[in-house]
Amino acid sequence: MRIAVVLGTRPEIIKMAPVIRELERSKADFFILHTGQHYSYNLDRVFFEQLRLPPARYNLEVGSGSHAEQTGKILIGVEKVLQGEKPDVVLVEGDTNSILAGALAAVKLHIKVGHVEAGLRSYDRNMPEEINRLLTDHCSDFLFAPTEKAKAILLGEGVPEEKIFMTGNTIVDAVYQNLEIAREKGNTLDALNLKAKEYFLVTLHRQENVDDRIRFVSILEGLDRVAAEFKTPVIYPLHPRSRKMVSEFHLKPQNLTLIEPVDFLSFLQLESNARLILTDSGGVQEEACILNVPCVTLRDNTERPETLEVGANILAGASPDRILEHSKAMLGRENNWVNPFGDGTAGRQIVKIIMGGSND
Ligand code: UD1
Ligand code: UDP
């Protein structure tokens, strides 16, 4: 059996790494097809190097562009590769343009599609990711749901039960496999002059937050107020989309320490030692929950409701008052919830299932 792993962005590389490790361990016939959606060193190569992943056999180098342009280029490129390689299964992860195009190219060639992290819904179709995950789920043959809730959503949408496998989320595998290594590496806080549990960590990069000037300014004002109220350093590794918009809108964020995006081990150190995390990232909401660090989500909805239910996360949207209020509320909570995203064996289960076994 030949397996193609199609990926293209930072979170896909990180969350697919445990699956790739397991494919290597079981000596499977597989290859990586990188779409090139992310191409900057600190959003792409650094993760291959640090997580010791084999190099991609193909890189389509599609780069940035409008949604249609980027998705269309990936679709054309993936189809060519799949026609040549003739894999039996294509694996994709998450909700980006890369994965929608990868899944669509495969299903039209009658190649089976496995979707890692299936069944997540924000029910907000203004988000490009919601369209991507919905369509990808509905062209998949193996739907790897991270939680019971995700499985129930898929069943509710009419996906046959035999296609759905509850495996947990591979981000748990990635965190467990790398946390100790990150702790040993341990110099990121010193380099930034930070003390454990005496700073807040921010990530903010979603199209609907940073491409809208009013919304971006409002969130930055909320973060500024949080920093001033708690007299605490706030570290913000700036995604290139956000950097571009800060410059285009001529913004000068106050009270925030802006840094370049960091590698995964450094980011795990920053997350696990933060007093509070404020974010609009999907993966960062999960990691905060797994690491028992309270999280304030800078969005009006989340496709990770499990984090809200266990008390690890709260939705603050973009209002400065709510960002401040909700930060206070989260800082007052006990951080003793149980991680709802599985036991860190998702990668192993996924490989076993596609190679013809079950995950019992
Ligand atoms: C994409 C995903 C988003 C995911 C994020 C992970 C879609 C629709 N969005 O958003 O779901 O959360 O990746 O980080 O697929 N840029 C660089 N270097 C790069 C890549 C991008 O400088 O390596 C800049 C370019 O200015 C580009 C902008 O970032 O225009 C946005 O890149 P794009 O791939 O369109 O979307 P992301 O915001 O990265
Ligand atoms: N991350 C990282 N360095 C950073 C910021 C984030 O390694 O400077 C990692 C983080 O640990 C998480 C992933 O990137 O695993 C989240 O990716 P992102 O926020 O870009 O995408 P999303 O999860 O929102 O799709």
Side-chain angles (χ1 to χ4, degrees):
M1 170 182 294
R2 175 168 294 179
I3 298 154
V5 175
V6 177
L7 47 71
T9 68
R10 170 170 73 185
E12 294 156 64
I13 303 167
I14 293 170
K15 288 181 166 177
M16 210 49 126
V19 176
I20 295 170
R21 287 240 173 97
E22 191 58 26
L23 287 168
E24 280 186 311
R25 206 187 57 79
S26 44
K27 302 202 172 12
D29 174 13
F30 80 100
F31 65 94
I32 299 173
L33 164 47
H34 195 316
T35 66
Q37 177 171 347
H38 281 178
Y39 45 85
S40 298
Y41 176 77
N42 58 12
L43 287 196
D44 173 23
R45 273 253 312 285
V46 68
F47 301 106
F48 277 82
E49 289 169 7
Q50 193 167 64
L51 300 172
R52 298 206 175 88
L53 299 177
R57 189 176 295 172
Y58 303 91
N59 191 320
L60 303 176
E61 294 181 0
V62 298
S64 307
S66 71
H67 283 275
E69 195 183 348
Q70 194 176 54
T71 311
K73 279 187 191 163
I74 300 170
L75 196 52
I76 294 167
V78 172
E79 180 179 63
K80 283 205 182 93
V81 173
L82 298 183
Q83 279 168 331
E85 290 275 0
K86 298 192 176 15
D88 301 285
V89 179
V90 167
L91 281 180
V92 293
E93 190 286 328
D95 53 22
T96 64
N97 289 343
S98 288
I99 79 130
L100 170 62
L104 201 51
V107 73
K108 293 286 182 88
L109 291 170
H110 308 295
I111 297 170
K112 288 202 183 322
V113 177
H115 185 199
V116 179
E117 205 178 58
L120 274 61
R121 297 288 179 269
S122 66
Y123 299 105
D124 176 358
R125 292 205 182 184
N126 288 319
M127 295 180 67
E129 292 85 1
E130 182 72 358
I131 310 293
N132 292 342
R133 56 172 86 94
L134 189 67
L135 297 177
T136 303
D137 279 342
H138 286 271
C139 35
S140 293
D141 302 276
F142 301 95
L143 294 97
F144 300 111
T147 61
E148 283 296 348
K149 194 175 276 291
K151 179 175 176 178
I153 286 173
L154 293 169
L155 289 172
E157 289 178 9
V159 176
E161 188 160 14
E162 59 272 19
K163 289 187 174 183
I164 308 170
F165 304 89
M166 232 280 287
T167 57
N169 195 310
T170 58
I171 195 63
V172 183
D173 312 28
V175 169
Y176 288 180
Q177 287 167 14
N178 292 292
L179 192 57
E180 262 325 295
I181 309 172
R183 285 196 177 123
E184 279 157 26
K185 188 172 175 266
N187 52 11
T188 310
L189 268 62
D190 290 347
L192 290 165
N193 221 354
L194 298 171
K195 291 205 176 62
K197 300 296 165 193
E198 292 183 16
Y199 65 92
F200 300 158
L201 179 66
V202 168
T203 78
L204 180 69
H205 73 280
R206 291 224 165 259
Q207 181 181 302
E208 60 279 9
N209 277 341
V210 304
D211 285 19
D212 175 335
R213 189 178 202 283
I214 294 175
R215 209 171 154 92
F216 198 6
V217 167
S218 177
I219 296 175
L220 291 175
E221 191 192 322
L223 297 173
D224 177 26
R225 284 207 210 158
V226 169
E229 171 89 12
F230 294 97
K231 298 188 180 46
T232 297
V234 178
I235 309 302
Y236 176 9
L238 205 55
H239 187 287
R241 175 190 284 277
S242 315
R243 184 169 292 284
K244 187 172 71 179
M245 299 321 289
V246 162
S247 149
E248 218 165 276
F249 294 148
H250 306 292
L251 305 178
K252 298 213 165 23
Q254 303 293 305
N255 275 325
L256 305 182
T257 306
L258 305 184
I259 60 171
E260 286 299 314
V262 298
D263 61 81
F264 187 51
L265 295 181
S266 300
F267 196 70
L268 275 179
Q269 278 177 49
L270 286 176
E271 283 182 306
S272 57
N273 290 299
R275 175 79 185 85
L276 180 71
I277 293 176
L278 301 103
T279 189
D280 63 359
S281 157
V284 176
Q285 287 175 66
E286 291 160 351
E287 286 164 351
C289 183
I290 296 163
L291 294 165
N292 282 98
V293 177
C295 182
V296 174
T297 290
L298 305 164
R299 287 174 44 189
D300 301 315
N301 52 55
T302 180
E303 57 293 317
R304 275 91 175 168
E306 298 85 353
T307 59
L308 304 176
E309 282 156 20
V310 299
N313 190 11
I314 195 165
L315 294 176
S319 135
D321 289 344
R322 286 188 64 195
I323 293 171
L324 179 57
E325 252 171 54
H326 286 19
S327 298
K328 284 183 189 162
M330 287 311 290
L331 286 167
R333 278 194 195 169
E334 295 259 348
N335 307 345
N336 55 2
W337 54 81
V338 176
N339 152 37
F341 294 114
D343 61 1
T345 61
R348 204 181 70 210
Q349 294 180 54
I350 289 165
V351 170
K352 198 169 164 208
I353 292 161
I354 52 174
M355 307 280 273
S358 76
N359 63 334
D360 297 337

